[in-house]
């Protein structure tokens, strides 16, 4: 049985649209804005970057349903999640130690 290909609407719905914003901001700051303007907004944009970064990880946490992973017949997704989280914690601690020691 051959599966049908997703429509353009489905692809657009699932497409991570932040990529378009990233590309637009990169093009804007690379080719449109002058250096004085960039220097003038750099500080406030850095603050916003930290805020959006934190909100992104909070959103990931809100979407993570550990109960579903625990109830699943196959435990591989649970193990993959736990290994990835342990790795992220370890790498973050090492980087924090190197930067702030």
């Amino acid at each position: 049985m051959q599966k049908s290909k997703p429509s353009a609407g489905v692809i657009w719905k699932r497409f991570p649209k932040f990529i378009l914003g990233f590309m637009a901001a990169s093009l804007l700051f690379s080719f449109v804005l002058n250096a004085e303007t960039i220097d003038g907004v750099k500080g406030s944009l850095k603050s916003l970057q930290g805020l959006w970064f934190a909100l992104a990880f909070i959103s990931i946490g809100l979407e993570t349903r550990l109960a579903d992973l625990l109830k699943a017949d196959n435990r591989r997704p649970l193990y993959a999640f736990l290994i990835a989280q342990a790795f992220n914690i370890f790498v973050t601690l090492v980087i924090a130690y190197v930067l702030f020691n």
Side-chain angles (χ1 to χ4, degrees):
M1 184 173 152
Q2 187 178 19
K3 294 183 180 181
S4 63
K5 292 185 178 183
S7 68
V10 170
I11 292 172
W12 177 250
K13 183 178 177 184
R14 293 183 178 193
F15 181 76
K17 293 166 187 72
F18 74 89
I19 292 172
L20 298 176
F22 177 80
M23 291 173 60
S26 295
L27 292 171
L28 179 72
F29 277 78
S30 296
F31 300 112
V32 177
L33 299 176
N34 59 31
E36 295 82 26
T37 304
I38 293 171
D39 289 339
V41 298
K42 194 180 287 187
S44 59
L45 289 179
K46 192 69 173 169
S47 298
L48 284 174
Q49 176 189 6
L51 173 68
W52 286 112
F53 191 75
L55 288 174
F57 277 96
I58 290 170
S59 297
I60 291 169
L62 291 173
E63 287 289 318
T64 303
R65 299 184 53 95
L66 292 176
D68 291 346
L69 292 174
L70 291 171
K71 292 177 189 174
D73 293 334
N74 185 353
R75 293 292 175 124
R76 286 183 179 176
L78 174 64
Y79 298 147
F81 175 79
L82 293 175
I83 290 168
Q85 292 306 314
F87 179 77
N88 284 339
I89 290 169
F90 175 74
V91 169
T92 302
L93 287 174
V94 168
I95 291 172
Y97 180 77
V98 169
L99 291 177
F100 301 114
N101 189 6

